[in-house]
Amino acid sequence: MPGPSKDVLVAVQGVSKVYPIAVTPRERSKTLVALLRGRPAPKQFHALRDIDLEVRRGESLGLIGVNGAGKSTLLKVIAGVVKPTSGTIQVAGRISALLELGAGFHPQYTGRQNVRLATALLGLSAAQSDAKLDQILSFADIGQHIDQPIKQYSSGMVVRLGFAIATAVRPDLLITDEVLAVGDESFQRKCVEWMKSYLDDGGTLLLCAHSMFQVQKLCRRALWIDGGAIRAGGPAMQVTQDYLAWHDTLAAQSEKQARPQEKAGSYAIAELRVNGHTPGGSAVAELGGTLRIEGAVFSPDGRAPVVAIGCVRLGGAAIYGLASDMDGHTLERLGTDQFHFCLEFDPLELLPGRYEIRAHAMDPEGVRHFDEVKCDLEVRGDTLEMGLCRMRHRWLSPGALAGVPATGHGLAPDLMSPGSEGGVR
Amino acid sequence: MISRSRASPSLRLFREFLLREISSRYVGSVFGGVWALIQPLFQLAIYSFVFRVIFAVRFPELQQHSFTTFVACALWPWMAFQEGLQRGTHAISGNASLIKKVAFRRELLVLAAVSSIFLVHLTGFVVVLLGLTAIGEPIRLSGLPVALLGWLVMFVFSCGLAFLTSSLQVFLKDVEHVLAPVLMVMFYATPVLYPLSRVPEPYSIAMALNPAAHVLEPIRGALMRGEWAVLELLAMLAAAFAVAALCKLVFNRLSPHFEDFA
């Protein structure tokens, strides 16, 4: 695109924002003197660094990033609430900024009176405001409450009224900061629907959200802000996925760092054997055979811990899980701080396939998970049954039906075990 | 710089702020705006009692007027100036939630706060003058235009200083506490309860430097004696605008940081 065109609604060039840091009255007065003399404040914080950004008419742009990255400051700069320390911002058209739903509402005044001031803040004339009132009322859906003081409103009503006012003007550019995070489900749906129709009608949206789903759904382009600077920009799907991947790595790293200290003094799986195999190898079991899971749990305080055992399809669904305390089983003490467990499934009713056995160490109360050790398991067998595990069943014929007790429980033992006449085999 | 294609909705916004300023003081009270009249009226009654009845004050400058009329002419414009400045001081820090979230011209808040006080007290002033006339005080209502010019000067002074104090108040909460005693001293150092001509030699020079003296005395002269000291008032108006312009410079320099500190 050659140069700035009419299509550019917002042009941000080289924008930086520096906030003075002043907490104590002494710092505040020092900062005040510096600012009055036109000097930079003694202590500063760079909220935005050299941001370049263009928003074209009809575009939907989502800002993503961690808390404190500078997203809100950037929105405030574009909305004109914050004056940048350096750089230029050009805005062509009417902006409606929803930095906070219901900002400036006065609790003592009625909804109607608050609508008057809010529309004045949006730049509407009194006549325009009156003309929009019905539309605002119907969107906000607060009925006769409009003539009651705002302080009597529920928080949901305040939020609805705030959104209704901002959307009533059909702005050229709508700026929203996390507003979809408030309000109930139906209100959120209403907002998203409104925004979609607004975008379909050629509206321009600048949105800041923590929900990647909302960004993906509403925005075609996304901008990833990190440390006050633009880290990545492009198609929403790509940027949000990059961001999520980065976020996961970050979370994994911090978990890794946090783990060793915690592990030293907490419940842990000291040993695990699945049918004699240790984690790392792959245990083997037979359908209808025996699966034995045994091992030891370390207890830092010498109290008997709880062990939880789970079975998961490799890379998929959880199949079964239980904890020793559910069955009232207490682990047997091996040494001062080791407790032995041995759990047997016989007959094993997992269908042939690859599984993972997970053992978790838990506190004696059975409330918190501390450790997890996994072992692969391959179940072999010869069957045509489908799915993950065998379920107790039987086939009924009209003749047999008559002989069944009406109470329902107490199935005949011969019908319960698969592999006998009830089974497919 | 920020260029913004907003026409001038400032006037409507100013009106809405003004209405809110006026109503917020009296919302939920039974007598509403009547309170704005009652408070200075009581003050006037107290001064009248103390000085007329107890001290039996008489001085030639009163001519055929009562001491009550003499004080009333200057008390209301002074009250408007003082309260306007005090209310204006809180105009920015008291609207932090709006400042942090909405873009609009911040000076409208200060102007609306000061204007609301002036509107209320000007109404009270006219009511009191009419009341005094009704009970037979020889007040020259023909001097009202000159008095109004005096009010305008007081208004510009009040707004201008409020630009300064409101922006400083955002950073230092001490401003309001400094303001209260300063205004009290100013009240007694200003010829409200006495004429400037009664002040003895060494002090009178210092007092003559007080701009308020040169506004309140002409207002009194116009209403009590029919004097048209328009030139003096116009000179004071120019001075008031100069002060306001200086204070506005400070306001403009600090206003980008209101959002952060308010």
Side-chain angles (χ1 to χ4, degrees):
Chain A
M1 179 157 295
S5 78
K6 269 193 295 184
D7 280 354
V8 178
L9 206 55
V10 180
V12 174
Q13 277 169 343
V15 160
S16 297
K17 175 66 188 176
V18 179
Y19 278 118
I21 303 174
V23 183
T24 62
R26 201 184 149 81
E27 283 175 338
R28 286 174 87 97
S29 43
K30 272 188 177 171
T31 304
L32 173 62
V33 171
L35 294 177
L36 279 174
R37 294 171 70 189
R39 305 243 170 110
K43 278 162 80 183
Q44 296 187 324
F45 165 71
H46 283 263
L48 291 176
R49 294 167 196 270
D50 204 20
I51 299 269
D52 289 316
L53 166 65
E54 247 182 28
V55 183
R56 306 224 173 94
R57 205 170 281 277
E59 199 174 46
S60 50
L61 178 67
L63 297 184
I64 57 174
V66 294
N67 284 331
K71 306 179 300 270
S72 293
T73 307
L74 181 55
L75 288 188
K76 279 182 167 185
V77 166
I78 295 171
V81 177
V82 169
K83 201 177 155 196
T85 309
S86 59
T88 63
I89 294 149
Q90 273 164 352
V91 178
R94 186 207 290 277
I95 295 185
S96 190
L98 275 175
L99 298 172
E100 183 184 297
L101 286 177
F105 277 179
H106 192 298
Q108 295 270 20
Y109 290 96
T110 66
R112 194 183 296 273
Q113 287 166 324
N114 273 299
V115 168
R116 282 186 63 90
L117 181 62
T119 54
L121 284 167
L122 283 171
L124 261 59
S125 71
Q128 284 171 318
S129 172
D130 291 341
K132 293 281 184 193
L133 190 64
D134 283 342
Q135 190 190 333
I136 291 170
L137 290 189
S138 74
F139 192 94
D141 191 23
I142 54 173
Q144 294 140 10
H145 295 291
I146 191 69
D147 287 315
Q148 283 173 6
I150 290 262
K151 64 180 173 188
Q152 292 171 8
Y153 284 26
S154 69
S155 57
M157 285 159 73
V158 174
V159 162
R160 287 207 299 274
L161 188 60
F163 193 81
I165 292 165
T167 54
V169 299
R170 282 255 156 197
D172 297 312
L173 173 67
L174 179 69
I175 297 177
T176 74
D177 188 359
E178 282 296 340
V179 294
L180 294 176
V182 294
D184 57 20
E185 193 78 13
S186 73
F187 170 72
Q188 288 188 9
R189 198 163 48 235
K190 207 169 171 180
C191 289
V192 171
E193 269 164 26
W194 185 90
M195 284 191 192
K196 283 183 128 176
S197 79
Y198 164 77
L199 286 172
D200 289 344
D201 293 352
T204 311
L205 181 68
L206 195 52
L207 170 123
C208 163
H210 279 292
S211 155
M212 291 306 122
F213 177 67
Q214 276 172 5
V215 173
Q216 288 167 354
K217 203 168 172 187
L218 285 169
C219 304
R220 237 179 295 164
R221 215 152 65 86
L223 212 57
W224 174 4
I225 311 278
D226 188 29
I230 294 175
R231 176 149 172 171
M237 197 54 90
Q238 189 190 322
V239 177
T240 50
Q241 277 170 3
D242 287 353
Y243 171 73
L244 284 177
W246 171 81
H247 207 267
D248 282 349
T249 323
L250 205 70
Q253 273 173 4
S254 64
E255 196 181 307
K256 228 182 236 168
Q257 283 164 359
R259 222 171 147 182
Q261 305 131 355
E262 174 150 312
K263 205 170 177 177
S266 68
Y267 304 94
I269 300 289
E271 191 191 345
L272 177 67
R273 283 195 309 277
V274 179
N275 274 3
H277 286 80
T278 51
S282 183
V284 182
E286 249 350 278
L287 170 67
T290 304
L291 173 67
R292 180 181 285 188
I293 302 161
E294 61 183 324
V297 182
F298 166 76
S299 164
D301 54 7
R303 294 188 299 148
V306 166
V307 67
I309 308 286
C311 177
V312 183
R313 183 96 200 203
L314 210 60
I319 298 164
Y320 185 71
L322 83 167
S324 55
D325 64 334
M326 290 176 189
D327 295 332
H329 176 73
T330 308
L331 269 55
E332 196 184 320
R333 188 184 290 269
L334 270 183
T336 49
D337 51 8
Q338 299 261 327
F339 289 81
H340 177 255
F341 65 88
C342 183
L343 177 69
E344 207 170 69
F345 293 93
D346 185 25
L348 179 63
E349 297 185 303
L350 283 173
L351 294 184
R354 299 187 67 84
Y355 300 88
E356 190 176 80
I357 298 297
R358 295 177 180 174
H360 302 269
M362 297 174 77
D363 57 7
E365 289 74 30
V367 178
R368 292 172 63 200
H369 283 252
F370 285 94
D371 191 21
E372 184 189 66
V373 174
K374 303 170 187 174
C375 182
D376 285 352
L377 170 70
E378 188 187 348
V379 176
R380 294 176 185 159
D382 184 18
T383 175
L384 295 173
E385 290 159 283
M386 292 154 285
L388 297 174
C389 66
R390 183 168 281 166
M391 295 170 71
R392 293 178 188 185
H393 61 280
R394 59 190 164 134
W395 298 98
L396 300 182
S397 59
L401 207 64
V404 173
T407 48
H409 55 77
L411 292 171
D414 59 328
L415 293 178
M416 278 175 66
S417 60
S420 63
E421 62 266 46
V424 176
R425 211 189 298 222
Chain B
M1 283 290 92
I2 300 174
S3 67
R4 208 162 287 277
S5 65
R6 276 196 173 176
S8 110
S10 298
L11 200 64
R12 178 180 176 227
L13 191 52
F14 171 75
R15 228 183 56 212
E16 293 293 337
F17 279 145
L18 182 61
L19 282 174
R20 179 155 291 199
E21 281 286 334
I22 293 174
S23 64
S24 72
R25 280 185 89 183
Y26 308 110
V27 72
S29 68
V30 179
F31 291 105
V34 176
W35 289 115
L37 183 61
I38 287 175
Q39 203 239 330
L41 216 50
F42 265 87
Q43 214 166 336
L44 181 65
I46 291 166
Y47 293 137
S48 295
F49 178 77
V50 171
F51 291 101
R52 278 179 84 179
V53 179
I54 298 178
F55 290 127
V57 170
R58 279 229 49 96
F59 42 87
E61 287 81 356
L62 283 181
Q63 293 171 329
Q64 75 276 37
H65 295 275
S66 74
F67 182 74
T68 310
T69 304
F70 176 84
V71 173
C73 289
L75 184 62
W76 262 263
W78 173 266
M79 293 284 278
F81 166 79
Q82 172 175 335
E83 283 180 30
L85 178 53
Q86 284 178 316
R87 196 165 174 86
T89 301
H90 292 101
I92 301 296
S93 56
N95 284 293
S97 61
L98 212 52
I99 299 264
K100 284 176 190 292
K101 299 290 180 184
V102 187
F104 63 96
R105 294 177 59 186
R106 275 75 172 102
E107 54 265 46
L108 292 178
L109 285 173
V110 179
L111 288 174
V114 178
S115 303
S116 71
I117 298 287
F118 269 77
L119 269 184
V120 166
H121 280 316
L122 185 58
T123 310
F125 182 66
V126 172
V127 169
V128 165
L129 289 186
L130 292 177
L132 287 170
T133 309
I135 60 168
E137 288 285 326
I139 290 169
R140 313 259 185 130
L141 291 176
S142 59
L144 260 179
V146 180
L148 288 181
L149 180 60
W151 273 79
L152 178 66
V153 178
M154 291 306 266
F155 175 73
V156 176
F157 267 126
S158 194
C159 279
L161 292 172
F163 281 135
L164 178 71
T165 54
S166 63
S167 53
L168 294 179
Q169 171 76 14
V170 172
F171 293 84
L172 300 172
K173 304 297 167 205
D174 313 60
V175 173
E176 57 178 311
H177 302 297
V178 171
L179 203 57
V182 165
L183 281 171
M184 196 183 72
V185 171
M186 283 285 287
F187 171 71
Y188 289 104
T190 301
V192 176
L193 295 174
Y194 51 85
L196 190 55
S197 50
R198 304 291 300 175
V199 181
E201 188 52 60
Y203 309 106
S204 60
I205 302 158
M207 285 200 173
L209 291 174
N210 179 358
H214 302 286
V215 185
L216 297 183
E217 294 256 304
I219 291 177
R220 203 135 55 188
L223 293 170
M224 289 169 62
R225 298 181 293 275
E227 295 166 357
W228 284 62
V230 176
L231 272 183
E232 187 179 7
L233 285 176
L234 285 178
M236 292 317 294
L237 187 60
F241 272 113
V243 168
L246 274 175
C247 294
K248 187 69 187 356
L249 280 180
V250 174
F251 184 90
N252 289 350
R253 180 155 274 188
L254 295 179
S255 66
H257 304 279
F258 289 166
E259 174 264 340
D260 189 26
F261 283 88

